[in-house]
Amino acid sequence: MRNLFGRYLQTTIIFLIVGGILFLAFGGYLGGASRGLGSSLVGIQTWLSTRYTAIQDFLAAPRDIATLRQRNAELESEVSRLQGQVIELQQKVDERDILAALVDFMRASPESTYKGAAVVGRDPSPFLHYIIINRGSNDGILRGMPVVTNQGLIGRVDAVVADAARVQLVTDPGSAINVRLQNADTDAVLVGSVTGDLSLDMISQDVTVEAGDVVLTSGLGGGYPPDLIIGQVLNVRKLDFELFQQAALQPAVDFARLEIVLVITNFRPVDVEPLIPITNP
Amino acid sequence: MFRNLIAFPLLALVVIVQSAVISHMTLLAGYADLMLVILAAWALKAEASSAWLWAILGGVMVSFVSGLPWPVTMFGYLFVVLLAQLLRRRVWQAPLLAMFSVTFIGTLIMDLFTLLVLNLLGTPLPIGDSLGLIVLPSMLLNLLFAVPVYVMIRDLAQWVSPAQEVE
């Protein structure tokens, strides 16, 4: 009985002590002590946790680096593939733009029939301005047919084989085309040069030519159909003691970036050589 | 012997590369003549008989693509081979010097020959502009190509004629 009473007393005292401590703690009387204890415990836990994490990282790191490297390689490969795709799509967009412009041009000039061709090369000699296209006699291309883009005339077919043709550009030094100045309403001769610059010659001294005048094919001589745009007059050189005026021309076509061209297949050049009278000495 | 047939695909490839790639790599208005450089290197390293055949084949292939009259390319390349054969005997101790000399003189003579023929045929090419804008830039580009082409052709010549001593 006494033993039982003692055990109750012991339990009651413990409860009272714990309750008292809790009471003092909630009442704010143990603030300094509990803060010190709490911060010590947190400090110990932080130290332990940091060390544990460091050890865990140390043990796990090699596997992660290998995984990351593998993943990095995969992503780099994916980026390369996507970059290739972007370039390919960009090329297709460019090609589509060119084709759309050419189709617009064909619709605007329904009197002619066209055959599209890609530019696959240039003349091996820098003295000549020729291009190679991937259409030939198998596609109905014949020597002398004019070649254009949606921007204007670029030249005419000079030689043909089964699946390719060589086109003499209007910028070739050997090229001479009869043209008409739209505003001045006069004829002239368009000639190429070594540098690819175009110039007009044989312009009568009587007419007034101004910068910006549009230059078109005249159709004289039978080499080209009339009214194909070539470019605009850049500047005029008029000297009183010369027989004719001369002018520099800004071509409508960018000859450095020819990719797809149109061959006018329903035009046959006329050979006027037999009609030129032979003068006997 | 049969390995000499490599000339057909190789020179065809050279014409394609020249037309599709090299002709876009311009310096002023000039660009390199890869066929000339290759024929010069081949004539310096390979047997004389095969060099002449290569020159004829190269001339035919280039004139097929180019708007130049065929005798210009044909005689031009034959002259380059002749020049290489002459220099090969005299400057045999310094093959790279011979390569540069053949490229330099060969380009100059061939371009001047082209200029002359085109002017005679009625294409107005001013000498001054042609020299400054085409001949000299082309020569510089040919000289830049001379060393890598020489190294490749030297290995090719050794493969075609293993018995021949190659410096």
Side-chain angles (χ1 to χ4, degrees), chain A residues 120-128 130 132 158 161 166 172-174 192-195 256, chain B residues 18-20 23-24 29 31 64-68 111 114-115 118 123-125 130 133-134:
Chain A
V120 294
R122 287 175 180 271
D123 196 288
S125 170
F127 288 98
L128 303 177
Y130 288 77
I132 315 291
D158 171 67
V161 291
R166 191 172 61 217
D172 184 69
S193 68
V194 171
T195 55
Chain B
Q18 173 75 34
S19 175
S23 61
H24 291 275
Y31 43 80
F64 183 70
V65 176
S66 175
L68 284 177
D111 282 355
T114 306
L115 203 57
L118 287 177
T123 305
L125 291 168
S130 302
L133 297 170
I134 296 181

Side-chain angles (χ1 to χ4, degrees), chain A residues 49-107:
Chain A
S49 173
T50 310
R51 296 302 175 275
Y52 175 76
T53 309
I55 290 165
Q56 191 186 29
D57 284 350
F58 176 75
L59 293 173
R63 191 179 65 236
D64 282 353
I65 285 175
T67 312
L68 284 173
R69 278 185 182 153
Q70 189 185 353
R71 184 74 186 137
N72 191 40
E74 283 171 9
L75 288 173
E76 278 180 358
S77 151
E78 183 73 3
V79 166
S80 302
R81 193 181 64 79
L82 289 172
Q83 278 176 340
Q85 232 173 25
V86 166
I87 291 168
E88 195 179 324
L89 289 172
Q90 189 59 49
Q91 280 176 342
K92 282 187 179 166
V93 167
D94 292 347
E95 198 173 312
R96 192 202 66 83
D97 289 346
I98 294 169
L99 289 173
L102 291 175
V103 168
D104 286 346
F105 175 78
M106 286 163 70
R107 282 184 187 149

Side-chain angles (χ1 to χ4, degrees), chain A residues 154-171:
Chain A
I154 66 159
R156 67 173 163 189
V157 176
D158 171 67
V160 188
V161 291
D163 292 312
R166 191 172 61 217
V167 177
Q168 183 187 33
L169 300 178
V170 295
T171 54

Side-chain angles (χ1 to χ4, degrees), chain A residues 39-281:
Chain A
S39 62
S40 303
L41 287 173
V42 170
I44 291 166
Q45 184 169 344
T46 306
W47 183 85
L48 196 63
S49 173
T50 310
R51 296 302 175 275
Y52 175 76
T53 309
I55 290 165
Q56 191 186 29
D57 284 350
F58 176 75
L59 293 173
R63 191 179 65 236
D64 282 353
I65 285 175
T67 312
L68 284 173
R69 278 185 182 153
Q70 189 185 353
R71 184 74 186 137
N72 191 40
E74 283 171 9
L75 288 173
E76 278 180 358
S77 151
E78 183 73 3
V79 166
S80 302
R81 193 181 64 79
L82 289 172
Q83 278 176 340
Q85 232 173 25
V86 166
I87 291 168
E88 195 179 324
L89 289 172
Q90 189 59 49
Q91 280 176 342
K92 282 187 179 166
V93 167
D94 292 347
E95 198 173 312
R96 192 202 66 83
D97 289 346
I98 294 169
L99 289 173
L102 291 175
V103 168
D104 286 346
F105 175 78
M106 286 163 70
R107 282 184 187 149
S109 316
E111 68 279 3
S112 301
T113 54
Y114 302 94
K115 180 70 77 177
V119 178
V120 294
R122 287 175 180 271
D123 196 288
S125 170
F127 288 98
L128 303 177
H129 295 215
Y130 288 77
I131 55 169
I132 315 291
I133 59 172
N134 67 345
R135 300 278 181 210
S137 55
N138 285 348
D139 304 289
I141 307 294
L142 297 175
R143 189 170 186 272
M145 286 180 171
V147 183
V148 296
T149 69
N150 59 313
Q151 294 159 322
L153 178 73
I154 66 159
R156 67 173 163 189
V157 176
D158 171 67
V160 188
V161 291
D163 292 312
R166 191 172 61 217
V167 177
Q168 183 187 33
L169 300 178
V170 295
T171 54
D172 184 69
S175 163
I177 303 168
N178 290 311
V179 295
R180 180 169 60 84
L181 282 90
Q182 197 174 35
N183 295 352
D185 196 23
T186 188
D187 291 330
V189 175
L190 175 82
V191 288
S193 68
V194 171
T195 55
D197 294 332
L198 291 172
S199 57
L200 292 173
D201 205 353
M202 312 286 277
I203 308 170
S204 170
Q205 289 277 22
D206 302 333
V207 296
T208 306
V209 181
E210 292 176 349
D213 279 3
V214 176
V215 178
L216 308 161
T217 51
S218 67
L220 289 175
Y224 290 90
D227 299 328
L228 292 173
I229 294 176
I230 296 174
Q232 285 183 307
V233 173
L234 205 59
N235 54 57
V236 184
R237 199 185 72 169
K238 184 176 183 178
L239 298 170
D240 290 337
F241 57 85
E242 286 188 343
L243 285 174
F244 298 101
Q245 298 180 66
Q246 291 176 325
L249 193 80
Q250 174 69 48
V253 180
D254 182 3
F255 288 93
R257 296 178 59 83
L258 289 174
E259 289 178 22
I260 300 174
V261 296
L262 295 172
V263 183
I264 300 177
T265 52
N266 65 339
F267 178 81
R268 298 282 183 280
V270 181
D271 185 12
V272 294
E273 285 284 326
L275 302 175
I276 298 171
I278 301 165
T279 51
N280 291 321

Side-chain angles (χ1 to χ4, degrees), chain B residues 42-103:
Chain B
W42 186 257
L44 285 171
K45 297 310 300 179
E47 293 167 2
S49 59
S50 80
W52 294 111
L53 289 175
W54 278 49
I56 292 168
L57 190 61
V60 169
M61 286 184 175
V62 170
S63 58
F64 183 70
V65 176
S66 175
L68 284 177
W70 67 267
V72 174
T73 49
M74 186 65 75
F75 290 122
Y77 291 145
L78 285 172
F79 172 79
V80 169
V81 169
L82 174 70
L83 189 67
Q85 299 287 343
L86 290 174
L87 279 176
R88 184 180 175 171
R89 290 177 201 134
R90 284 163 179 73
V91 204
W92 57 272
Q93 283 174 317
L96 267 180
L97 178 66
M99 180 67 195
F100 280 127
S101 307
V102 173
T103 307

